[in-house]
Amino acid sequence: MRIIVQKFGGTSVASPNVRNLVVNKIVQAREQGYTPVVVVSAMGRKGEPYATDTLIDLARSGYRGIAARELDQIMYCGEIISAVVMTSVLQAADLDAIMLTGGQAGITTDANFTNGRILKVDSSRILTLLKMGKVPVVCGFQGITADGEFTTLGRGGSDTTAAALGAALNAEMVEIYTDVDGIMTADPRIVTNARILDIVSYNEVSQLAHQGAKVIHPRAVEIAMQKSIPLVVKSTFSDAPGTLITNITKEGPEVNVVSDRLATGVTFLPKIAQLKVTLDPATSHTESYKIFKTMADNGISVDLINVHPGQVMFTVHEDVAEKALANLGKQGYQAAVLYDCAKVSVVGGGIHEVPGVMATFIEALSLYDIPILQTVDSHTSISVLVKKDDVEMAVKALHEKFGLAD
Ligand code: ADP
Ligand code: ASP
Ligand code: MG
């Protein structure tokens, strides 16, 4: 069997017309000799009746702080509704489709509600169904714990379901169908002349995704990479070939596509708060340990870290900023906080080898008078913290300056 996993995102299943395009993609895969396994996300985007955001708002209308376990039970419904509707459309097209929840598809997760991690995939039920000629339509984004609790996999997690099923079933390929023609050098909603990347490595995409490119979930990339399963990101709405994510270039195996590209793309992560604690320079090294230990003990992840004699500076997601401040307060530290920040990054496998990249980066932002609040670089990325209102301009300026435009 040449198994292919085809995942359709929210906009790809949002209306009857679009669902017919999905049927075409599945029929085409079968005509090409593939045995498809379909994965679907909840229907539509924010504001639409059965979208995940709508279900979250509904649950929070009782109490904003509703527990994660209960939030998962309502989020679970979005993918169930979508999979049932899609199964019905496929049955109408004479395909022997069968709907499966994440649990029924064999996906076991830990009990980390709203951000569950897949622990195991038992593919036996899907394999039996495939041998019977059926088309499984699996609810993305969900799993079940060993104790039978329903869980979800983190926002955007239907991609993770598709990659995990692809790995467990030894699929020839995993296709991620969405509303853009592939992975681009920047979010096309911000940069109108962003370019489609036709081939990229798992590492590059994983970096782009971690730094905010929402087009694919980073965990999906990491799972596919472990088993070297090719991922293709493409559009439900066109016949464009999309972006192939792999470790292999067209020249042959073992040639890593990362190595020769200076910049692959520009991304951003919104909703960041910057925390600054002033310390006595004489004791600041032991004090800074205490500060980061407090964050770790309270499960708060920190980013953009600068430690100097007399000062510690770092960022956290805005949602946990209050918690961070409260816990620092308990330890006797008064932190200054700056809300409404965002981290803008240029990602590229070759970035560390080239002199002058930081100068180019800063020049791009200075051309538009964009204040830089903090910087950080790694092997594959350079990032800066800027104010929320400067994000769009910063992304556009960097995209232009690094020659990524079409
Ligand atoms: P789906 O519901 O299909 O999973 P998502 O909204 O999760 O769709 O992801 C697709 C969206 O990702 C696109 O509409 C696009 O605006 C956004 N996006 C962000 N960064 C990029 C990028 N670098 N390339 C392509 N799309 C991107
Ligand atoms: N419906 C879920 C979300 O909106 C999962 C997904 O779309 O991948 O996050
Ligand atoms: Mg998505």
Side-chain angles (χ1 to χ4, degrees), residues 7-12 41 44-45 156 159 176-180 182-189 208 212-216 266-267:
K7 177 258 168 176
F8 297 92
T11 47
S12 301
S41 293
R45 283 223 174 102
D159 299 332
I176 306 288
Y177 282 95
T178 184
D179 61 348
V180 286
I183 298 184
M184 307 177 82
T185 48
D187 187 338
R189 279 185 251 188
L208 283 170
K214 264 190 51 196
V215 62
I216 189 163
V266 185
T267 56

Side-chain angles (χ1 to χ4, degrees), residues 217-293:
H217 197 292
R219 235 179 258 168
V221 183
E222 283 148 18
I223 292 171
M225 177 162 66
Q226 278 165 20
K227 279 206 140 182
S228 293
I229 296 180
L231 281 172
V232 181
V233 176
K234 59 205 312 197
S235 172
T236 304
F237 305 84
S238 80
D239 290 321
T243 300
L244 171 63
I245 310 171
T246 176
N247 268 328
I248 300 163
T249 62
K250 286 166 187 157
E251 283 83 59
E254 306 310 328
V255 183
N256 199 324
V257 260
V258 173
S259 51
D260 53 2
R261 190 149 42 197
L262 170 66
T264 309
V266 185
T267 56
F268 67 97
L269 281 167
K271 295 190 174 180
I272 291 180
Q274 184 193 50
L275 273 60
K276 217 184 280 183
V277 190
T278 306
L279 302 168
D280 176 353
T283 53
S284 66
H285 60 291
T286 45
E287 305 266 17
S288 52
Y289 165 70
K290 234 171 98 188
I291 288 170
F292 290 113
K293 179 86 171 57

Side-chain angles (χ1 to χ4, degrees), residues 48-290:
E48 294 180 63
Y50 308 108
T52 307
D53 283 303
T54 310
L55 300 174
I56 293 173
D57 285 348
L58 187 59
R60 287 189 171 155
S61 65
Y63 169 48
R64 263 210 76 72
I66 181 175
R69 178 181 177 277
E70 278 61 42
L71 202 53
D72 260 358
Q73 313 312 298
I74 201 164
M75 285 203 279
Y76 212 79
C77 301
E79 269 65 16
I80 292 193
I81 292 167
S82 177
V84 170
V85 172
M86 202 58 236
T87 302
S88 140
V89 176
L90 290 169
Q91 288 176 354
D94 262 349
L95 288 163
D96 195 0
I98 172 166
M99 178 271 193
L100 298 173
T101 63
Q104 289 165 347
I107 297 177
T108 306
T109 71
D110 62 16
N112 188 9
F113 294 107
T114 71
N115 200 18
R117 212 178 174 84
I118 297 178
L119 299 177
K120 196 173 72 183
V121 181
D122 175 357
S123 57
S124 53
R125 182 164 180 184
I126 292 189
L127 276 172
T128 306
L129 293 170
L130 294 179
K131 283 180 195 144
M132 291 162 70
K134 294 193 182 279
V135 180
V137 180
V138 181
C139 300
F141 181 51
Q142 45 175 254
I144 192 165
T145 66
D147 302 338
E149 294 279 0
F150 295 167
T151 54
T152 64
L153 309 179
R155 297 306 307 273
S158 297
D159 299 332
T160 314
T161 303
L165 290 179
L169 292 161
N170 267 319
E172 211 170 292
M173 190 170 20
V174 173
E175 291 182 326
I176 306 288
Y177 282 95
T178 184
D179 61 348
V180 286
D181 278 343
I183 298 184
M184 307 177 82
T185 48
D187 187 338
R189 279 185 251 188
I190 293 183
V191 179
T192 47
N193 60 356
R195 200 164 32 86
I196 303 273
L197 298 158
D198 50 353
I199 179 165
V200 270
S201 73
Y202 294 112
N203 280 327
E204 283 174 295
V205 178
S206 157
Q207 272 299 316
L208 283 170
H210 275 298
Q211 298 303 340
K214 264 190 51 196
V215 62
I216 189 163
H217 197 292
R219 235 179 258 168
V221 183
E222 283 148 18
I223 292 171
M225 177 162 66
Q226 278 165 20
K227 279 206 140 182
S228 293
I229 296 180
L231 281 172
V232 181
V233 176
K234 59 205 312 197
S235 172
T236 304
F237 305 84
S238 80
D239 290 321
T243 300
L244 171 63
I245 310 171
T246 176
N247 268 328
I248 300 163
T249 62
K250 286 166 187 157
E251 283 83 59
E254 306 310 328
V255 183
N256 199 324
V257 260
V258 173
S259 51
D260 53 2
R261 190 149 42 197
L262 170 66
T264 309
V266 185
T267 56
F268 67 97
L269 281 167
K271 295 190 174 180
I272 291 180
Q274 184 193 50
L275 273 60
K276 217 184 280 183
V277 190
T278 306
L279 302 168
D280 176 353
T283 53
S284 66
H285 60 291
T286 45
E287 305 266 17
S288 52
Y289 165 70
K290 234 171 98 188

